[in-house]
Amino acid sequence: MPGPATLRATPMLATSSPTLGQMRVNRPPHRAPRNPVLDESATVLAAQAGDQTAFAALVDRYGPPILSLCYASTLDRGEAEDLAQDVFTSAWRGLARFRGQSAFSTWLFALARNACVDRARRAAARPRLANAAEIEHAPARAEDDHARRTARALLVAAAELSAPLRQALLLRDVQGLSYDEIAELQDVPIGTVRSRLASARATVAEEVGER
Amino acid sequence: MSHLDAEQLSALIDGQLSLTHRHAALAHLEECHACAARHEALIEVAAGLRAIKPAAWTPALSAAVIDGLDTPVQADRSVLISIVVALIGFGVVLWQLPTLRAIAAGAETLATVVATLLPMTPGPGIMALSSVLALLIACVLLVRPRASRR
């Protein structure tokens, strides 16, 4: 667990949400289009007609959340990237099935959730060597050995959580997504996100505290 | 104030409590060491995970996705061609059903003749060979009248 230095820094975390918002260092800045719904509908229609440039725009837009979900599910960067690419390939092949009855993101995130479930089912039959490697070499933001050891212990505990709790925890605390974004990715109300996060954090804290 | 539950403590970390509830929770934490300790533990989890670099989507990943795409138009066309071929095949079978029956009967007769001429028991090999021969003969017979008409 973090030492006194970390604990001294925590009141910032406790009192202001922008602090956690600042951790979205690798997320591209959001550029609001003039009319996002109309623009996206046109892009999706163009992609359905076989326009790969339009589909590339959708990939650029939804790549970060899809990868976040895949990483939160697999705890393995390489596998998450492969899985995210598979999701987009499936989306491309299945674009004709998207009838526009829901938002494109809803349809795409459902594809991603199903892919994560399928992957978890396949992975259950074999040893989690990749996860172990990820945990062993958890890349810390700071080159701090203590932070790395803490992160490793937390990831080991997080790996034992159920998939929905693990996803919520990593989406929030590693990937830096907002409650709204997590709710959309997991297709649950914000209240469920809140309770999943609380439960995940409490379980991990208890697990790490016992070690 | 009663103890804060995990959901309240977690929401406090993320700034998800309303101003009133946040002030009440912070005031409670000043007095209650048990809740303060649980709050610290949750903060340590959040802060520890924050130290991990997030998985980041890169332009190279976008490029890899786009490079790996097949064209749906081609995919649709291949499915359409398969359906058309299957329908034509089915139509030919229906149209030439008497001819096919005759070919099958011819193949059977041919197999019997071959088996009689050669000291062999009629088996699947002979039957297949006879079928091919019968088919060839049928094709020749079908094509010849058209060629002679030209």
Side-chain angles (χ1 to χ4, degrees):
Chain A
M1 298 299 290
T6 313
L7 291 176
R8 273 197 300 276
T10 52
M12 277 174 67
L13 222 161
T15 51
S16 61
S17 60
T19 309
L20 278 183
Q22 287 166 2
M23 60 194 206
R24 299 179 201 176
V25 288
N26 285 323
R27 302 182 67 202
H30 178 70
R31 289 183 213 92
R34 279 170 300 180
N35 187 331
V37 177
L38 283 179
D39 282 4
E40 180 158 297
S41 298
T43 310
V44 171
L45 279 173
Q48 283 179 316
D51 183 348
Q52 291 195 352
T53 310
F55 189 70
L58 295 170
V59 172
D60 285 339
R61 179 172 184 149
Y62 291 109
I66 296 288
L67 179 67
S68 293
L69 182 67
C70 293
Y71 175 65
S73 300
T74 60
L75 279 179
D76 181 288
R77 276 153 221 274
E79 201 163 347
E81 289 176 0
D82 290 345
L83 193 55
Q85 289 182 51
D86 289 347
V87 169
F88 283 114
T89 305
S90 302
W92 172 252
R93 288 180 183 156
L95 266 176
R97 290 196 302 274
F98 175 66
R99 302 286 178 204
Q101 288 160 339
S102 60
F104 177 72
S105 59
T106 307
W107 179 76
L108 186 64
F109 293 164
L111 271 185
R113 282 194 303 276
N114 290 338
C116 290
V117 169
D118 288 346
R119 181 263 168 204
R121 207 173 285 145
R122 287 196 305 274
R126 58 186 168 81
R128 299 167 72 177
L129 291 177
N131 290 3
E134 170 74 18
I135 289 165
E136 190 61 31
H137 302 289
R141 280 202 176 101
E143 289 302 316
D144 177 355
D145 196 45
H146 176 73
R148 188 170 290 127
R149 271 187 280 119
T150 306
R152 196 179 301 157
L154 292 169
L155 284 178
V156 168
E160 300 302 318
L161 294 170
S162 68
L165 296 193
R166 185 174 65 249
Q167 283 175 3
L169 182 67
L170 269 77
L171 286 172
R172 176 67 191 156
D173 288 339
V174 178
Q175 295 299 123
L177 268 61
S178 70
Y179 277 46
D180 285 332
E181 290 168 325
I182 298 170
E184 197 185 355
L185 268 174
Q186 292 198 316
D187 195 27
V188 293
I190 285 188
T192 307
V193 173
R194 195 173 292 131
S195 62
R196 281 179 179 177
L197 259 176
S199 179
R201 282 171 175 162
T203 307
V204 168
E206 197 176 331
E207 188 71 25
V208 173
E210 284 174 4
R211 285 179 188 164
Chain B
M1 186 179 181
S2 58
H3 288 301
L4 298 170
D5 60 26
E7 207 167 315
Q8 288 170 304
L9 292 171
S10 179
L12 180 63
I13 290 172
D14 291 328
Q16 289 286 317
L17 292 181
S18 67
L19 202 61
T20 316
H21 285 101
R22 192 163 77 89
H23 284 316
L26 289 173
H28 177 75
L29 289 178
E30 290 288 324
E31 298 164 359
C32 178
H33 294 299
C35 285
R38 286 167 54 231
H39 185 227
E40 285 297 325
L42 297 192
I43 288 174
E44 285 175 12
V45 170
L49 289 171
R50 265 178 54 189
I52 299 170
K53 278 182 189 161
W57 187 259
T58 60
L61 287 172
S62 288
V65 169
I66 301 304
D67 287 348
L69 296 181
D70 48 5
T71 53
V73 178
Q74 280 177 358
D76 289 350
R77 196 173 292 160
S78 65
V79 169
L80 194 67
I81 289 169
S82 306
I83 291 170
V84 168
V85 167
L87 283 174
I88 289 173
F90 187 63
V92 166
V93 167
L94 282 180
W95 176 48
Q96 291 293 340
L97 202 56
T99 313
L100 290 172
R101 278 188 185 143
I103 290 171
E108 202 174 338
T109 312
L110 207 59
T112 315
V113 170
V114 171
T116 313
L117 292 176
L118 301 171
M120 296 170 75
T121 320
I126 294 279
M127 200 61 206
L129 187 67
S130 306
S131 300
V132 171
L133 279 173
L135 200 61
L136 283 173
I137 292 166
C139 287
V140 168
L141 290 174
L142 282 172
V143 170
R144 252 182 66 185
R146 287 177 196 171
S148 61
R149 272 201 294 269
R150 278 180 204 161

